[in-house]
Amino acid sequence: MKDRGYNREPQQCHVKIKELRQAHQKTREANSHSGSEPQTCHFCDELHAILGGAATTTPTLCFDSAQGVGGNTEAGFGGEEDEEEVVDSSQQRSGETGFPNSQELFITLDLDPVHPEATQGGLLDPEGREGTSAAYVSPSQRLAKIRRRKKRTRDEMFSDLVLSSHTDRAQQNTWRQTISECRKTPYDHEERWRAEDGAPDPTAGASIDDENCWHLDEEQVQEQVKLFLSQGGYHGSGKQLNLLFAKVREMLKMRDSNGARMLTLITEQFMADPRLSLWRQQGTAMTDKYRQLWDELGALWMCIVLNPHCKLEQKASWLKQLKKWNSVDVCPWEDGNHGNELPNLTNALPQGANANQDSSNRPHRTVFTRAIEACDLHWQDSHLQHIISSDLYTNYCYHDDTENSLFDSHGWPLWHEHVPTACARVDALRSHGYPREALRLAIAIVNTLRRQQQKQLDMFRAQKKELLHKGITSITNLEGWVGHPLDPVGTLFSSLMEACRVDDESFHGFSDFTENMGQCKSLEYQHLPSHKFLEEGESYLTLAVEVALIGLGQQRIMPDGLYAQEKVCRNEEQLISKLQEIELDDTLVKIFRKQAVFLLEAGPYSGLGEIIHRESVPMHTFAKYLFTSLLPHDAELAYKTALRAMRLLVLESTAPSGDMSRPHHIASVVPNRYPRWFTLSHIESQQCELASTMLTAAKGDVRRLETVLESIQKNIHSSSHIFKLAQDAFKIATLMDTLPDITLLKVSLELGLQVMRMTLSTLNWRRREMVRWLVTCATEVGVYALDSIMQNWFTLFTPTEATSIVATTVMSNSTIVRLHLDCHQQEKLASSARTLALQCAMKDPQNCALSALTLCEKDHIAFETAYQIVLDAATKGMSYTQLFTIARYMEHRGYPMRAYKLATLAMNHLNLSYNQDTHPAINDVLWACALSHSLGKNELAAIIPLVVKSVKCATVLSDILRRCTLTTPGMVGLHGRRNSGKLMSLDKAPLRQLLDATIGAYINTTHSRLTHISPRHYSEFIEFLSKARETFLMAHDGHIQFTQFIDNLKQIYKGKKKLMMLVRERFG
């Protein structure tokens, strides 16, 4: 061979000879089947002459699911050494392969270890295994060894498979590099010989860029996916499905042809999930985790159809399959619960025959719609090809400064395309193992975004006066980039961050950069050497941060539907959490300053512009991150940004409705009506967090605290959130290790007062807690704050709250001790509290009279005023319960005559019927009679007519009658005159009137009870008659009256024979 101009190592020749022998063996076996067509191979005759009929090679180890037996065409070294074990050809003909019935998804031979000498000279295969001994092992022996192996669960095997992918990839990369270096040495005489004679290279292996074709166990994949889906959210099934998706991405990155096939199998099982039709029938939404799995499925299909090297027939078959799935009724919609009739994403592109295809005929966009539309995209654009293929593609003489120019002022290439679509290209390049090309396109896209950003700023500055005068704005982007199904900002950010990660294995394509980093293996992010198309001082890290800030600050409409809105919030928080992992330096701070200034000045293109659309996504979470990042470096800009972001126009009825010339699917249908923002509570909590962060940072700065307070009062519309801010400010101002910050305390008090005003006329279950806290806060501020809230109580509290909580707390001993008040200050504060109490009693005597009397006890004039208020209100609207309560209080305070007067007023409002013998007012009636009895005969004589008029219950009247006859009325009468000490006679007034009323009540009650009496109540009725007899006998002719009463009962109710028999037995 050297004589003919070839310079090959023995190892290369050895491997090539092995491949030729395997090809010859495969041909012989195919021709040995009866009825099969004759097969041939390269150098078939020569090999037959050399090898004859004694073939010792084994079939290759790698299988493609669609083709049956095939080689590892990626590397050209798919076979084993001559010493590998042999599978009998008869076994192949009978369908036996010698493989175990494994639960592995990707089946490879797991051979027994052999002596090291047997592997000398062997090359690693794609799985990283070495050659084995030539000793023949029969199929029965191999099966016996397999059966003896320890069985593993599916989860264990699946986890081992996924965890081993990193090691496999590193081994394959090393192997590829070795083989590539062996082939890339140029030999002029070899090329000349091949050009002249056209002879094939007998030692050339397969190209390193060829596709892999690993075996795929389709049934096992389907069973696994079906099992995980059937488990719902239990047993970590979502995690396992995400691992499957990760394996698909790994297969795509390794350019394995089975990646698309595996995703097809997964998708078919997802489409066959019975829960889809069940959810559709019930009208319920799928779970959030399940919905995220569908999103990942759609994103993977987007990557597959955008494969830059796929064949047209492949893309056509994928398109057919996607359209089939898309037409199924249960196919999930892209935005979760709502259809979105956005235009085709290729409408903004100048390329493609179907670029202007209208999608309005589709009722809803499904998770596959974008992948279907992406089938119209191609990679043949010459400008695009130059961008992704070269780092030297520039045009310094290009002076076209139009909107769609191909180069910027630096001569660097730009790529004008619908941003999510352009970023989908970047994701596809990364997914298919082209990291360098993906990075080049990502840089071009970011440079395009930065140029557009500057042009937008210039355009707004030119029209600023006119737009601000009109007071309207519009959404300049039909689709927001954060929360977008294709996640364009996240894709650009991840691509650029991978390029600056100090880990040469994670981004092996950039060896020229990582070599400069030495042996550092940490995962920290560094400013790696700048790219040709970056300005001085910029790096991939600064570019990643800048594109994240651009995406987060974009003014975008809040999408429809719960899931889409939650996704916007979730993606924003995820992106910010990634930014928070980056340590800021001077270079990044400059980027933050630059973007913050742009956001404040960019008008309708920014979510922080002076005027924003009413339904644009709020910037609270993003602004909080900007604020904390900028505060140590530029406090003025940080506060300006955060204060601008405090707006929540969707809750303001006077907010501008926006430019109604916008597309109909974005314009508000009813401008002054709340739209369906399902995440509004989360948004309000984020607004509250932003305000709390500013309050904490502004401690000690009077001017900034006042500015923040004004913004809170203007923009926060939730009383509970304002109350939380007030509590937070109070805690910060009164930390144990520092003196109270009086300015922050005043801010806390002002927020508390606003809460009181907001909740005064509404129902709030925390209202009492809020009132108590406000009094505590005012106590910390000082006596003047307490005096102020009492003087303005009618704008802050209800009368009941003002008397029972505010005034009572102010006059408590603990408050006096806390404020260190002298006697003069105490009296002044008490005077304010009494004035408040009297005002409340005038406004609401029913609920405040007793509290007013209690608060005015120590001031005679105030007490008399309160008592007079009670008397005036007694005839107008106070109930007997309230009057009895105040009367008991008066007796307790030593005013029995006033108590008696109030009791008589209460009796006028009372009415007890014959059957209300357990009424709660009975005790009050007995107390009133006892009070009158204790005061004297005159008072008792005055109240008994009221009792007879108000009480019809016989048992209550008899109880009062007995109490009045047991003792002499009051030992001391009016004017200090002593009573005679004689018991009152039942034959004279007023007890005679009470006795007659009691007997009459018993008679009426007896007839009422007999009307609807049942046998089970007979014994109870007999006891009732016994009590009645006792009352009858108190009269001088009571015995005769009771006998006549019983006789009348026997005559009237003679039909109730059993009852009348019981009456005769007891009463004769």
Side-chain angles (χ1 to χ4, degrees):
M1 290 180 65
K2 288 185 177 180
D3 295 340
R4 299 194 63 178
Y6 290 99
N7 184 14
R8 294 289 183 268
E9 296 179 357
Q11 190 176 16
Q12 291 177 277
C13 297
H14 181 75
V15 171
K16 190 60 183 180
I17 290 171
K18 179 191 67 175
E19 291 181 349
L20 293 173
R21 293 171 66 184
Q22 290 176 343
H24 179 251
Q25 173 69 11
K26 180 179 178 181
T27 304
R28 289 184 70 254
E29 291 178 354
N31 291 331
S32 65
H33 293 286
S34 60
S36 61
E37 295 182 2
Q39 303 288 329
T40 186
C41 63
H42 290 296
F43 312 110
C44 185
D45 296 336
E46 293 83 351
L47 289 171
H48 184 72
I50 295 171
L51 300 176
T56 59
T57 59
T58 182
T60 57
L61 295 180
C62 304
F63 294 84
D64 183 79
S65 60
Q67 300 172 359
V69 181
N72 181 5
T73 58
E74 177 183 23
F77 300 101
E80 300 292 340
E81 299 291 351
D82 291 346
E83 294 82 7
E84 292 170 346
E85 65 186 25
V86 180
V87 179
D88 191 6
S89 61
S90 63
Q91 227 179 346
Q92 295 283 342
R93 287 191 296 271
S94 63
E96 299 178 7
T97 61
F99 287 112
N101 184 17
S102 172
Q103 294 178 343
E104 300 277 358
L105 298 180
F106 304 91
I107 300 178
T108 54
L109 286 179
D110 189 11
L111 301 179
D112 294 332
V114 296
H115 194 275
E117 295 178 358
T119 64
Q120 292 180 358
L123 290 177
L124 290 173
D125 68 2
E127 292 289 341
R129 293 186 303 272
E130 296 182 354
T132 57
S133 173
Y136 175 77
V137 182
S138 67
S140 60
Q141 291 175 325
R142 295 181 63 231
L143 288 173
K145 291 181 179 181
I146 291 170
R147 292 190 183 101
R148 287 196 297 269
R149 293 176 184 169
K150 182 180 179 181
K151 292 185 178 180
R152 297 183 296 168
T153 65
R154 293 180 178 178
D155 290 346
E156 290 174 344
M157 291 187 287
F158 193 80
S159 300
D160 293 344
L161 180 65
V162 175
L163 291 174
S164 65
S165 61
H166 181 75
T167 305
D168 294 345
R169 184 165 64 253
Q171 292 175 346
Q172 290 175 6
N173 291 338
T174 304
W175 172 73
R176 287 180 181 178
Q177 188 174 0
T178 303
I179 301 304
S180 179
E181 290 175 357
C182 293
R183 295 182 189 153
K184 287 184 178 178
T185 306
Y187 296 98
D188 295 338
H189 54 274
E190 175 183 351
E191 298 297 332
R192 186 169 52 255
W193 180 82
R194 297 173 80 183
E196 292 175 358
D197 301 336
D201 182 1
T203 62
S207 171
I208 194 172
D209 293 326
D210 286 350
E211 287 189 335
N212 292 320
C213 299
W214 302 101
H215 175 71
L216 177 65
D217 190 339
E218 297 187 6
E219 292 184 2
Q220 191 63 33
V221 172
Q222 292 173 328
E223 290 178 5
Q224 288 279 16
V225 176
K226 186 175 181 180
L227 175 63
F228 294 147
L229 288 176
S230 65
Q231 292 174 348
Y234 303 102
H235 312 298
S237 57
K239 181 180 179 181
Q240 297 290 353
L241 289 169
N242 280 318
L243 289 175
L244 274 178
F245 288 144
K247 190 60 184 177
V248 172
R249 285 193 177 273
E250 185 178 349
M251 294 172 72
L252 295 180
K253 192 170 184 179
M254 302 304 297
R255 303 173 199 172
D256 189 336
S257 63
N258 278 326
R261 177 57 185 161
M262 181 174 178
L263 187 61
T264 302
L265 297 174
I266 295 174
T267 307
E268 287 175 348
Q269 292 304 313
F270 267 74
M271 292 298 297
D273 190 349
R275 291 181 295 175
L276 291 177
S277 57
L278 182 62
W279 285 329
R280 179 62 61 88
Q281 292 172 2
Q282 296 177 346
T284 56
M286 62 180 67
T287 61
D288 191 57
K289 291 184 178 180
Y290 189 60
R291 175 72 242 187
Q292 292 177 35
L293 293 174
W294 275 102
D295 285 350
E296 179 65 13
L297 199 63
L300 281 172
W301 275 113
M302 192 78 177
C303 291
I304 285 178
V305 300
L306 282 178
N307 182 357
H309 293 299
C310 72
K311 299 176 182 179
L312 292 178
E313 53 269 22
Q314 283 182 316
K315 185 177 287 189
S317 65
W318 293 334
L319 178 60
K320 181 179 179 181
Q321 186 64 60
L322 288 169
K323 286 184 175 180
K324 177 182 176 182
W325 290 328
N326 190 70
S327 63
V328 179
D329 291 338
V330 297
C331 184
W333 299 345
E334 183 180 71
D335 58 353
N337 302 324
H338 289 72
N340 196 357
E341 297 180 5
L342 292 177
N344 187 307
L345 63 87
T346 59
N347 280 0
L349 305 180
Q351 57 173 299
N354 299 323
N356 295 322
Q357 174 182 334
D358 183 14
S359 63
S360 61
N361 56 341
R362 296 191 183 99
H364 301 291
R365 295 180 64 87
T366 71
V367 292
F368 301 117
T369 302
R370 294 186 184 271
I372 292 172
E373 294 170 353
C375 290
D376 296 331
L377 303 177
H378 58 75
W379 297 83
Q380 278 71 45
D381 186 276
S382 59
H383 184 59
L384 176 61
Q385 288 292 327
H386 283 102
I387 290 175
I388 65 177
S389 61
S390 174
D391 290 331
L392 305 175
Y393 181 48
T394 57
N395 191 337
Y396 298 107
C397 300
Y398 191 88
H399 298 295
D400 182 10
D401 197 34
T402 60
E403 183 178 353
N404 294 320
S405 58
L406 300 181
F407 299 88
D408 62 8
S409 58
H410 298 89
W412 299 342
L414 305 174
W415 180 241
H416 296 279
E417 190 175 28
H418 182 236
V419 174
T421 306
C423 296
R425 292 181 183 273
V426 174
D427 191 27
L429 289 171
R430 290 175 61 209
S431 299
H432 288 282
Y434 301 99
R436 183 184 291 274
E437 290 79 0
L439 182 62
R440 290 173 182 147
L441 181 56
I443 293 173
I445 294 172
V446 177
N447 284 333
T448 305
L449 292 178
R450 295 197 294 185
R451 181 174 180 270
Q452 290 175 351
Q453 192 181 51
Q454 186 60 45
K455 283 189 170 295
Q456 290 170 352
L457 179 59
D458 297 339
M459 187 184 307
F460 174 69
R461 284 173 176 171
Q463 304 174 356
K464 181 176 181 179
K465 186 176 295 184
E466 178 183 357
L467 291 175
L468 293 180
H469 177 71
K470 292 181 179 179
I472 60 174
T473 185
S474 62
I475 299 295
T476 57
N477 299 279
L478 300 183
E479 297 178 296
W481 298 336
V482 175
H484 191 279
L486 299 180
D487 192 19
V489 176
T491 298
L492 293 177
F493 182 81
S494 300
S495 301
L496 293 166
M497 291 303 288
E498 282 185 4
C500 62
R501 183 179 296 161
V502 188
D503 181 5
D504 55 3
E505 289 186 3
S506 65
F507 201 76
H508 55 80
F510 291 90
S511 58
D512 53 336
F513 293 154
T514 55
E515 286 174 1
N516 298 328
M517 302 307 298
Q519 300 298 320
C520 180
K521 294 290 183 181
S522 68
L523 294 179
E524 296 179 357
Y525 299 105
Q526 303 287 343
H527 293 283
L528 292 182
S530 62
H531 189 273
K532 181 176 178 61
F533 300 139
L534 299 181
E535 295 181 1
E536 184 178 356
E538 287 187 333
S539 64
Y540 299 125
L541 182 59
T542 61
L543 210 61
V545 171
E546 186 166 11
V547 74
L549 298 180
I550 291 174
L552 289 168
Q554 175 199 36
Q555 184 180 177
R556 51 196 184 274
I557 198 72
M558 179 66 78
D560 295 328
L562 172 61
Y563 176 75
Q565 292 176 12
E566 287 181 341
K567 188 175 181 181
V568 168
C569 299
R570 182 171 58 249
N571 285 16
E572 180 183 33
E573 292 170 358
Q574 289 173 350
L575 188 55
I576 289 175
S577 66
K578 293 178 182 178
L579 286 171
Q580 289 172 336
E581 297 174 0
I582 303 172
E583 184 177 355
L584 298 185
D585 55 18
D586 293 340
T587 306
L588 293 178
V589 170
K590 290 180 181 178
I591 297 295
F592 273 79
R593 281 198 178 107
K594 169 188 170 184
Q595 286 301 320
V597 171
F598 170 81
L599 291 172
L600 292 172
E601 298 179 357
Y605 304 98
S606 162
L608 295 175
E610 291 186 50
I611 299 179
I612 59 173
H613 191 271
R614 181 171 178 263
E615 296 180 29
S616 63
V617 176
M619 297 282 110
H620 306 131
T621 308
F622 176 47
K624 179 185 173 184
Y625 170 69
L626 278 181
F627 178 80
T628 54
S629 301
L630 287 172
L631 186 63
H633 310 284
D634 191 340
E636 192 65 32
L637 182 59
Y639 276 100
K640 190 175 181 181
T641 304
L643 291 170
R644 180 73 64 82
M646 279 291 292
R647 298 168 296 185
L648 188 55
L649 298 183
V650 72
L651 296 182
E652 297 179 10
S653 59
T654 58
S657 59
D659 186 355
M660 298 307 291
S661 63
R662 294 161 55 250
H664 70 278
H665 58 273
I666 293 182
S668 300
V669 178
V670 183
N672 291 330
R673 187 176 179 181
Y674 291 174
R676 296 188 68 186
W677 280 27
F678 300 97
T679 55
L680 188 58
S681 60
H682 173 76
I683 291 171
E684 286 186 294
S685 65
Q686 292 299 312
Q687 183 189 35
C688 179
E689 288 293 328
L690 173 60
S692 179
T693 303
M694 287 194 289
L695 282 176
T696 305
K699 181 180 180 181
D701 191 326
V702 178
R703 181 179 63 86
R704 290 222 166 96
L705 280 174
E706 291 176 351
T707 307
V708 174
L709 173 61
E710 181 181 353
S711 177
I712 292 171
Q713 292 175 329
K714 177 182 178 182
N715 296 300
I716 297 185
H717 305 276
S718 168
S719 59
S720 59
H721 286 111
I722 297 179
F723 183 53
K724 180 181 182 299
L725 287 173
Q727 290 178 307
D728 291 345
F730 182 78
K731 291 176 183 177
I732 298 169
T734 57
L735 293 176
M736 297 298 294
D737 55 345
T738 59
L739 293 175
D741 187 325
I742 191 64
T743 306
L744 195 54
L745 275 175
K746 290 180 179 178
V747 170
S748 177
L749 179 62
E750 284 297 323
L751 293 174
L753 294 175
Q754 183 177 357
V755 172
M756 292 297 101
R757 288 188 286 266
M758 293 175 66
T759 59
L760 179 60
S761 58
T762 59
L763 295 176
N764 192 307
W765 64 274
R766 299 184 65 188
R767 175 72 183 181
R768 292 183 64 86
E769 176 192 355
M770 294 173 177
V771 174
R772 293 182 186 279
W773 177 88
L774 181 69
V775 177
T776 303
C777 182
T779 305
E780 289 292 329
V781 174
V783 65
Y784 69 91
L786 288 174
D787 190 59
S788 175
I789 64 173
M790 285 193 293
Q791 290 181 5
N792 299 283
W793 70 269
F794 48 86
T795 63
L796 304 172
F797 315 107
T798 64
T800 305
E801 293 169 346
T803 53
S804 63
I805 300 177
V806 179
T808 304
T809 306
V810 168
M811 295 187 67
S812 65
N813 291 330
S814 60
T815 303
I816 295 173
V817 173
R818 180 72 182 85
L819 293 174
H820 306 290
L821 301 179
D822 55 28
C823 295
H824 176 70
Q825 290 174 323
Q826 290 182 29
E827 180 57 32
K828 184 179 179 180
L829 198 61
S831 177
S832 297
R834 287 192 291 267
T835 303
L836 177 147
L838 293 175
Q839 290 174 349
C840 293
M842 287 288 292
K843 190 171 184 179
D844 186 9
Q846 293 88 348
N847 299 312
C848 301
L850 180 58
S851 298
L853 287 168
T854 305
L855 292 169
C856 298
E857 286 175 357
K858 296 182 179 180
D859 188 286
H860 178 71
I861 297 175
F863 188 81
E864 290 296 328
T865 305
Y867 176 66
Q868 192 59 45
I869 291 172
V870 174
L871 293 179
D872 294 340
T875 59
K876 296 178 181 178
M878 294 188 71
S879 66
Y880 61 85
T881 304
Q882 295 166 339
L883 289 172
F884 274 130
T885 304
I886 297 174
R888 285 176 180 266
Y889 164 78
M890 285 294 187
E891 184 196 25
H892 176 71
R893 298 302 303 171
Y895 300 102
M897 291 307 298
R898 293 184 178 184
Y900 167 76
K901 188 172 183 178
L902 291 172
T904 58
L905 292 173
M907 291 298 298
N908 288 324
H909 297 284
L910 181 63
N911 184 20
L912 284 179
S913 62
Y914 72 93
N915 58 350
Q916 290 182 303
D917 50 359
T918 59
H919 196 280
I922 292 175
N923 288 330
D924 291 325
V925 173
L926 296 176
W927 169 83
C929 293
L931 175 65
S932 303
H933 190 271
S934 66
L935 291 176
K937 183 177 179 181
N938 295 334
E939 287 76 14
L940 183 60
I943 202 170
I944 283 179
L946 297 176
V947 173
V948 171
K949 177 183 176 182
S950 303
V951 180
K952 306 299 181 186
C953 183
T955 55
V956 176
L957 290 173
S958 62
D959 194 6
I960 296 173
L961 182 61
R962 280 194 298 272
R963 294 186 184 207
C964 291
T965 57
L966 291 177
T967 58
T968 303
M971 296 301 296
V972 179
L974 293 177
H975 311 295
R977 292 184 292 105
R978 283 198 169 271
N979 290 312
S980 62
K982 294 181 180 180
L983 295 176
M984 297 182 67
S985 173
L986 292 174
D987 295 331
K988 299 179 181 180
L991 293 187
R992 181 63 189 183
Q993 183 183 1
L994 181 59
L995 178 59
D996 293 341
T998 306
I999 292 174
Y1002 270 115
I1003 294 172
N1004 293 333
T1005 304
T1006 301
H1007 288 292
S1008 296
R1009 295 184 67 171
L1010 285 173
T1011 304
H1012 303 290
I1013 194 170
S1014 62
R1016 62 180 178 176
H1017 295 140
Y1018 285 172
S1019 59
E1020 182 182 344
F1021 178 73
I1022 297 299
E1023 293 299 325
F1024 175 77
L1025 287 180
S1026 299
K1027 292 181 180 179
R1029 182 172 60 178
E1030 294 175 2
T1031 304
F1032 273 84
L1033 293 178
M1034 294 176 71
H1036 70 282
D1037 57 347
H1039 179 71
I1040 299 173
Q1041 292 184 36
F1042 185 73
T1043 302
Q1044 291 176 352
F1045 175 57
I1046 295 298
D1047 291 340
N1048 289 335
L1049 291 181
K1050 294 176 183 177
Q1051 184 64 31
I1052 297 172
Y1053 303 99
K1054 58 184 178 180
K1056 300 181 183 296
K1057 296 180 180 180
K1058 184 176 181 180
L1059 178 60
M1060 293 302 105
M1061 183 183 68
L1062 294 175
V1063 172
R1064 289 190 198 97
E1065 289 178 358
R1066 176 68 66 90
F1067 306 107

